[in-house]
Amino acid sequence: MTDRAPVFCEKYCIVCRGARAGNPICKAIQNLELKIFGKEGCIWGKARTRYYGVTPDEKIPPDKKK
């Protein structure tokens, strides 16, 4: 396991970023993705979940930011 933060899901993924920001279309796409891939989502969502401890549809709490 690496100490580097998985930045794609957090900063670049238009679906995840949009869903966390409240965009209803992005939320619908993300919900479909989470149903297909599981509660941690795609490979970048899984990396984000392992690193930060929150699923792709949740914002990172301030105390968990590294």
Side-chain angles (χ1 to χ4, degrees):
M1 187 147 147
T2 180
D3 290 336
R4 292 179 24 199
V7 297
F8 182 79
C9 182
E10 187 63 28
K11 298 187 187 287
Y12 303 113
C13 178
I14 60 172
V15 173
C16 289
R17 284 183 52 224
R20 287 191 297 269
N23 181 308
I25 295 171
C26 291
K27 279 186 176 189
I29 294 169
Q30 188 182 56
N31 284 337
L32 180 62
E33 177 186 305
L34 294 173
K35 287 178 184 171
I36 292 170
F37 292 109
K39 69 177 185 169
E40 295 179 348
C42 68
I43 58 171
W44 296 286
K46 285 178 179 36
R48 182 180 183 270
T49 301
R50 283 193 305 269
Y51 191 82
Y52 293 112
V54 293
T55 57
D57 57 336
E58 300 173 320
K59 293 183 179 182
I60 299 171
D63 64 323
K64 290 195 178 198
K65 288 195 177 191
K66 296 181 181 180

